[in-house]
Amino acid sequence: MKIIKRDGHMVDYCPEKIEDAINKANAEVVEEERASATQIKNIIKYIESLGKKRILVEDIQDIIETKLMSIGKYELAKKYITYRYTRELVRRSNTTDLSIKELIDGENEYWNTENSNKNAKVVTTQRDYLAGITSTDITRRFLLPEDIVEAHDTGIIHFHDADYFAQNALHNCDLINLEDMLQNGTNINGVMIEKPHKFLTAMTIATQLITAVSSSQYGGCTISLTHLAPFVRSSYEKYLDKYKKRGLSKEQVEQFAKEDLQKEIIDGVQTFQYQINSMTTTNGQAPFLSVCMYLGETEEYKEELAMIIEEFLRQRIQGMKNEKGVYITPAFPKLLYVLEEDNMKPDSKYYYLTKLAAECTAKRMVPDYISEKIMKQYKIDANGNGQCYPCMGCRSFLTPYVDENGKPKYYGRFNQGVVTINLVDVALSSDKDMDLFWKIFEERLELCHRALQIRHKRLSKATSDVAPILWQHGALARLGKGESIHDLLHNGYSTISLGYAGLYECVKFMTGHSHTDNGCGKEFALSVMQKLNDKCKEWKAAENIDYSVNGTPIESTTYKFAKCLKERFGVIKGITDRDYITNSYHVPVFEEIDAFTKLKLESEFQRLSPGGAISYIETPNLSNNLDVVMEVINFIYDNIMYAELNTKLDYCQECGYTGEILIDDNLEWYCPQCGNRDHDKMNVARRTCGYIGANFWNKGRTQEIKERVIHIDNKDDEECATTK
């Protein structure tokens, strides 16, 4: 028999430990209240007679308490309960203390690789992690019921961001209403920020606002360049006035004004890039920021918006210098480029921007692409109109919403948090019994539901005072001081996410087929996805809370889930024999499939993942083959809502090698040219969970990165892309 401990690990059953625990309680009571050696042995025999292969340590303790009371040893049972509680406090305290010590000493594998954009050696990051360890401890002991903690520890579900949950005011991710803050003024730390009058000022203020907002939440955030476009015109008008006063001709005035404006746009974008990558939030990292480039958001300022987009792309193509002064791929901001009629045809006005985007993607892995055409098919608002808008951060999408005036609204909205179900565990727990699978699935979904309700109820206690930049000064709302945010958590204004992971392994185990098979595998996968959506719809109808299905970005959790599955079910070939499980609905990284087939298939699952979805393809270096990139971009526009291309352009600081830094069989990174293995002397950028990671990864994610197959052939002949 195996004992499942509180942290999810399994150990061998040891009857001596039961005997020892009862005897310690025996020592605390008078002789007539003590359990005899025979009675203790009978309790042990009863536990062994249950014939279980695995049993939770808490279940054993419950049995001991029940048995002691059944033989009339009530005082002893009370002492045992007290002993159990005291041991629990000591255990948790010791665990917390040990985690803190290991973090400070740099010896904790989890915290060292928890986030590929956080450096656990840096004091600001350590400070965030120290708070996170404490928050997690409080969350586990006081804020979550025991069964949810157990389910989290054993990898049945994942209660995300417990390291921030102790503070009831923190939410997940959002679309910052930069337009409101810039146009109507805002406030940072009690300092009034008035409407700027030129583009460079607006860009500087924007970075300060983004950092302040990011410090008041724990997820990703997104701004739109559309909200900065009016300030380009303001600057241009100032330059016109400047040169008109000099008595120059109309042509000269316009020429000089345009030259000055172009310089200001270059300076403004450069300031933005430097600020975002050099500023540190209270989370100990650069803001997890995405920048939306959507020409369709404005008609009045479309020309100005195009100018900003062009400069963002040009500067990203160049990259940012590392400590050696070499241009490399920066992690932030993530760029979201919307494909639309005005930029998709060779004869369209803004096609030049899409070609520039393709060049940027080939070299720097961004921008990522949103198809306006496909999104408008998926996102239908209450008026029956298709909507297009960016994700919050890397993949979390809001649901369509119209305000009291019947107008669509997205900026200023947010996500309350995520709880993820491990679909692989559901499948393995059912042992391929389909009826049992659906029964367990239903039970696990209700467990997730309860956990999500706890998230919602805790956040609903917050007032606007806890984060004025968010709730009082325009980022998300303009509430009064002391006003509750309760209404913003209902009526579809914000979302709360039911995440899912491991669809491929779940389907493979239950049907013997991948969900890429156009038969029972795909059919079963779609039915699982539909069940997730049906439950969210059911909960939303009952509670007026916008539950939404989200393809979770399980960065470090993919490793945790894989380890838990091995401990619970052993090594099962093709299911639990890796140190990671497949993210959301994705085709597994090791499955041979061409780019176009993959994107077309995954588009069906994106429709059923309305609260969060992202698809990608792995490519070789395509910087000299932009025709292939354009071919993929065209395919995305016609077939899938949101997708990205993963290229590889790393740098070795030891020998100057530029190319792909490799991973050996021991999952160690090395330079193929000089053999350098020092992480501090190489710059590696890989797509992690939508964002680009640049600080290396845990063992599971590293194995997943190593096993990614290339989805496009980079041939020199005319047929350079894999056949559609």
Side-chain angles (χ1 to χ4, degrees):
M1 181 163 57
K2 293 286 186 181
I3 307 300
I4 305 172
K5 298 184 71 75
R6 291 170 182 84
D7 62 0
H9 288 87
M10 286 192 188
V11 297
D12 291 331
Y13 166 72
C14 180
E16 290 79 12
K17 289 185 178 181
I18 297 174
E19 186 176 358
D20 181 58
I22 298 175
N23 280 329
K24 284 182 178 178
N26 263 342
E28 297 292 321
V29 297
V30 296
E31 188 170 350
E32 57 267 25
E33 274 293 325
R34 294 173 185 168
S36 67
T38 301
Q39 289 170 326
I40 295 173
K41 286 181 180 177
N42 287 338
I43 292 174
I44 292 171
K45 283 181 181 178
Y46 174 79
I47 292 170
E48 294 171 348
S49 72
L50 296 175
K52 294 195 174 186
K53 293 181 180 179
R54 294 181 295 273
I55 187 169
L56 293 169
V57 67
E58 289 88 350
D59 290 345
I60 289 180
Q61 292 172 338
D62 289 343
I63 291 169
I64 293 170
E65 291 170 14
T66 302
K67 286 295 181 182
L68 289 175
M69 287 187 284
S70 71
I71 60 176
K73 302 296 183 182
Y74 299 107
E75 189 63 27
L76 178 61
K78 184 190 293 187
K79 289 294 181 182
Y80 179 79
I81 292 169
T82 302
Y83 165 77
R84 175 182 177 182
Y85 176 71
T86 303
R87 289 296 302 160
E88 175 73 358
L89 290 179
V90 172
R91 182 189 66 80
R92 291 192 186 280
S93 176
N94 286 346
T95 300
T96 300
D97 292 346
L98 180 61
S99 294
I100 289 173
K101 183 180 184 301
E102 288 178 344
L103 167 66
I104 294 171
D105 292 342
E107 298 171 352
N108 190 300
E109 180 191 5
Y110 174 79
W111 292 111
N112 284 343
T113 58
E114 186 269 343
N115 188 308
S116 61
N117 284 301
K118 284 187 176 184
N119 183 351
K121 298 176 183 177
V122 179
V123 291
T124 51
T125 304
Q126 284 191 358
R127 185 170 56 192
D128 177 60
Y129 281 162
L130 286 169
I133 291 169
T134 304
S135 171
T136 301
D137 183 34
I138 292 171
T139 297
R140 293 168 60 86
R141 284 197 286 149
F142 303 116
L143 304 180
L144 294 180
E146 202 169 300
D147 61 337
I148 288 176
V149 174
E150 288 175 6
H152 173 88
D153 288 346
T154 54
I156 289 171
I157 67 171
H158 188 73
F159 189 90
H160 289 264
D161 306 297
D163 49 335
Y164 295 106
F165 190 65
Q167 290 182 276
N168 63 3
L170 289 168
H171 70 282
N172 183 22
C173 51
D174 49 53
L175 298 183
I176 301 174
N177 195 341
L178 196 60
E179 179 180 34
D180 185 354
M181 302 176 88
L182 292 176
Q183 293 293 337
N184 301 315
T186 186
N187 188 300
I188 302 177
N189 294 334
V191 177
M192 181 181 291
I193 309 295
E194 296 181 314
K195 178 180 177 179
H197 299 294
K198 58 186 296 187
F199 177 70
L200 180 56
T201 307
M203 291 293 271
T204 303
I205 291 173
T207 61
Q208 295 167 346
L209 296 177
I210 290 162
T211 304
V213 170
S214 295
S215 294
S216 299
Q217 58 169 88
Y218 57 80
C221 59
T222 297
I223 64 149
S224 174
L225 293 183
T226 303
H227 299 161
L228 290 155
F231 301 98
V232 173
R233 185 172 298 181
S234 297
S235 289
Y236 182 59
E237 289 170 350
K238 283 184 176 295
Y239 291 128
L240 287 175
D241 289 341
K242 169 185 169 182
Y243 289 112
K244 282 177 182 177
K245 292 176 182 177
R246 298 185 181 181
L248 301 174
S249 67
K250 182 175 182 294
E251 291 76 15
Q252 288 176 315
V253 167
E254 291 180 352
Q255 177 188 342
F256 294 153
K258 287 178 181 177
E259 289 174 356
D260 284 2
L261 178 65
Q262 186 56 45
K263 183 180 184 306
E264 184 176 339
I265 290 174
I266 292 171
D267 291 344
V269 172
Q270 185 178 58
T271 297
F272 189 96
Q273 299 259 66
Y274 277 135
Q275 294 279 77
I276 291 301
N277 282 281
S278 62
M279 284 181 165
T280 301
T281 70
T282 54
N283 300 338
Q285 64 194 73
F288 266 52
L289 176 69
S290 293
V291 172
C292 178
M293 304 171 164
Y294 183 18
L295 293 164
E297 282 188 322
T298 180
E299 287 299 324
E300 184 178 0
Y301 297 102
K302 187 170 286 190
E303 285 299 312
E304 289 86 353
L305 175 58
M307 295 170 72
I308 305 173
I309 292 172
E310 180 177 4
E311 188 56 35
F312 258 90
L313 292 172
R314 290 195 184 282
Q315 291 196 24
R316 182 54 71 89
I317 289 170
Q318 184 181 46
M320 296 194 75
K321 288 183 179 180
N322 65 6
E323 55 266 46
K324 295 287 188 179
V326 176
Y327 285 103
I328 61 168
T329 299
F332 296 106
K334 177 183 169 87
L335 305 181
L336 306 170
Y337 186 86
V338 179
L339 305 173
E340 48 194 302
E341 281 193 22
D342 274 355
N343 61 22
M344 279 308 297
K345 298 176 183 177
D347 59 350
S348 59
K349 186 174 182 179
Y350 300 104
Y351 186 67
Y352 72 96
L353 290 177
T354 304
K355 291 181 69 176
L356 199 61
E359 181 183 348
C360 189
T361 292
K363 189 171 184 180
R364 300 298 180 196
M365 226 185 310
V366 293
D368 304 332
Y369 299 96
I370 293 174
S371 168
E372 180 191 55
K373 177 167 65 174
I374 302 300
M375 181 177 271
K376 284 187 172 182
Q377 295 172 14
Y378 290 2
K379 308 290 187 182
I380 310 297
D381 66 23
N383 298 324
N385 299 318
Q387 297 295 329
C388 181
Y389 48 90
C391 54
M392 301 176 285
C394 79
R395 73 177 63 208
S396 183
F397 278 96
L398 292 161
T399 47
Y401 176 85
V402 294
D403 62 20
E404 61 275 8
N405 300 314
K407 294 182 178 180
K409 178 174 175 59
Y410 298 100
Y411 297 99
R413 293 174 60 205
F414 58 98
N415 182 264
Q416 299 176 34
V418 188
V419 174
T420 290
I421 183 171
N422 184 345
L423 296 175
V424 192
D425 197 291
V426 177
L428 296 179
S429 297
S430 74
D431 200 22
K432 299 185 180 179
D433 182 324
M434 198 61 76
D435 290 335
L436 184 57
F437 172 87
W438 292 111
K439 180 177 181 296
I440 295 172
F441 194 19
E442 182 81 22
E443 293 170 352
R444 300 280 174 83
L445 287 174
E446 284 307 316
L447 191 66
C448 289
H449 182 205
R450 285 176 44 230
L452 287 168
Q453 286 178 317
I454 292 168
R455 298 203 82 103
H456 168 81
K457 289 175 182 175
R458 187 153 183 78
L459 187 59
S460 68
K461 296 177 182 177
T463 68
S464 66
D465 295 340
V466 299
I469 190 72
L470 299 180
W471 312 114
Q472 295 175 4
H473 302 308
L476 301 180
R478 293 280 185 177
L479 301 178
K481 290 185 177 181
E483 191 172 349
S484 171
I485 71 168
H486 184 270
D487 289 348
L488 301 180
L489 307 180
H490 297 83
N491 303 305
Y493 190 86
S494 59
T495 56
I496 190 164
S497 298
L498 171 63
Y500 64 96
L503 181 64
Y504 162 76
E505 289 87 354
C506 169
V507 172
K508 183 73 173 178
F509 182 76
M510 294 301 294
T511 70
H513 297 274
S514 168
H515 61 311
T516 58
D517 295 340
N518 284 316
C520 61
K522 182 178 175 182
E523 181 181 335
F524 179 66
L526 291 172
S527 67
V528 169
M529 293 295 298
Q530 188 60 56
K531 177 71 171 178
L532 294 170
N533 281 269
D534 290 345
K535 294 304 291 187
C536 284
K537 184 177 180 181
E538 175 188 321
W539 301 336
K540 179 180 178 180
E543 302 165 28
N544 195 22
I545 300 169
D546 214 348
Y547 292 92
S548 191
V549 179
N550 180 8
T552 315
I554 50 171
E555 178 174 347
S556 58
T557 307
T558 188
Y559 185 32
K560 172 203 168 183
F561 274 175
K563 289 193 294 184
C564 288
L565 289 167
K566 285 180 182 178
E567 288 169 352
R568 282 166 58 77
F569 304 102
V571 176
I572 303 171
K573 186 177 180 180
I575 308 296
T576 65
D577 53 352
R578 291 178 165 85
D579 286 325
Y580 64 90
I581 66 169
T582 302
N583 203 346
S584 63
Y585 59 78
H586 287 176
V587 174
V589 298
F590 48 80
E591 185 169 319
E592 297 288 345
I593 188 171
D594 72 85
F596 304 104
T597 302
K598 183 179 191 292
L599 292 174
K600 186 66 175 175
L601 172 88
E602 291 187 349
S603 68
E604 297 184 57
F605 292 92
Q606 284 196 359
R607 185 189 290 270
L608 290 169
S609 197
I614 190 169
S615 292
Y616 65 82
I617 58 168
E618 294 291 325
T619 78
N621 185 353
L622 295 176
S623 55
N624 294 320
N625 209 340
L626 297 184
D627 288 343
V628 175
V629 182
M630 289 299 297
E631 187 177 353
V632 174
I633 289 172
N634 275 283
F635 190 84
I636 290 170
Y637 177 63
D638 288 326
N639 292 279
I640 189 166
M641 182 183 76
Y642 183 32
E644 55 197 15
L645 288 75
N646 292 348
T647 58
K648 303 173 185 68
L649 195 62
D650 308 317
Y651 177 75
C652 175
Q653 297 178 17
E654 282 287 312
C655 68
Y657 168 77
T658 299
E660 181 182 356
I661 299 291
L662 302 177
I663 306 172
D664 66 19
D665 291 339
N666 295 318
L667 302 182
E668 292 293 332
W669 295 84
Y670 69 97
C671 171
Q673 181 164 286
C674 72
N676 172 32
R677 292 174 179 268
D678 186 345
H679 288 186
D680 293 331
K681 295 181 179 179
M682 58 176 71
N683 299 101
V684 176
R686 291 291 183 277
R687 189 84 60 179
T688 305
C689 298
Y691 279 121
I692 296 172
N695 269 322
F696 297 95
W697 302 260
N698 64 34
K699 181 180 177 183
R701 181 60 69 184
T702 302
Q703 184 184 24
E704 186 264 344
I705 291 171
K706 176 178 172 59
E707 295 187 357
R708 293 177 182 178
V709 301
I710 297 296
H711 300 119
I712 279 189
D713 293 329
N714 188 19
K715 298 177 181 178
D716 293 326
D717 56 41
E718 293 182 1
E719 194 164 348
C720 45
T722 308
T723 305
K724 298 181 187 178

